[in-house]
Amino acid sequence: MNDSARLMVIAGAVAALVALVAWIGDRRRMRRRNMDRVGFMPWTPIFFWSLLAAVLLLGLGGRTLLGA
């Protein structure tokens, strides 16, 4: 595996981790007990963009890894 593919896989894994944290944050916000305690983080867009980045980066890194 060359350096660019390794970098894409690492960046994709980090983006997937960010997507997981954002998904958990969004789920916690939707299930909060006190509806007046609204957070300031836009969890849904963070989840969307980090998941998109993770899918693209892991897909390109996997494609390079498999030699396709």
Side-chain angles (χ1 to χ4, degrees):
M1 178 167 22
N2 58 14
D3 290 336
S4 63
R6 183 172 300 159
L7 191 61
M8 281 191 286
V9 169
I10 291 171
V14 169
L17 184 64
V18 170
L20 178 68
V21 169
W23 178 69
I24 291 169
D26 196 30
R27 184 170 168 88
R28 285 186 63 209
R29 181 178 26 183
M30 291 298 170
R31 295 178 175 261
R32 67 184 181 268
R33 291 179 194 231
N34 187 357
M35 289 297 172
D36 292 333
R37 293 191 64 190
V38 180
F40 65 92
M41 292 298 292
W43 290 118
T44 305
I46 292 171
F47 170 73
F48 174 75
W49 290 112
S50 60
L51 183 67
L52 180 68
V55 167
L56 289 174
L57 289 169
L58 290 173
L60 288 172
R63 181 177 173 200
T64 304
L65 178 66
L66 295 175

